[in-house]
Amino acid sequence: MRTGRPEAGSPPSATTRRFCASAGLPPIHVVVGTDEILLGDTNALVTAVETAGGKITCRDAGMWHDHLVFAGMLGKADEAMVEMGTAIRTDCAG
């Protein structure tokens, strides 16, 4: 991933995309860990959505990137999946 400002005319990078308008998004639920490779990006997303007045929850699982693929084998992944499912059902219920 590139960092910093892209040159004029170059395609936007993941870094620049995270600063796009965050208003009008549906509720967002994020599970991240202290050993997460994308922790900085997650923090930037949370800040951008909150600044735009959006609804975002961020759960610190204290795990590594992609730990959720171990749902069914890892208790913390199971807990996070249950929490995410509950939050999504609540959001969809209106």
Side-chain angles (χ1 to χ4, degrees):
M1 171 174 43
R2 293 184 310 201
T3 59
R5 303 189 116 198
E7 297 297 319
S10 66
S13 68
T15 301
T16 58
R17 281 190 195 111
R18 72 180 175 182
F19 296 107
C20 293
S22 301
L25 294 173
I28 300 171
H29 305 283
V30 179
V31 178
V32 69
T34 51
D35 291 327
E36 170 66 59
I37 193 169
L38 300 175
L39 182 58
D41 291 329
T42 301
N43 291 334
L45 173 66
V46 170
T47 299
V49 171
E50 288 177 340
T51 299
K55 180 182 175 187
I56 186 165
T57 59
C58 185
R59 178 187 198 280
D60 180 0
M63 300 297 287
W64 60 90
H65 184 72
D66 282 344
H67 76 279
L68 294 176
V69 299
F70 293 99
M73 297 177 276
L74 183 64
K76 285 192 177 190
D78 293 343
E79 292 169 12
M81 294 298 276
V82 167
E83 185 177 310
M84 295 289 279
T86 300
I88 291 168
R89 282 189 294 281
T90 299
D91 293 339
C92 291

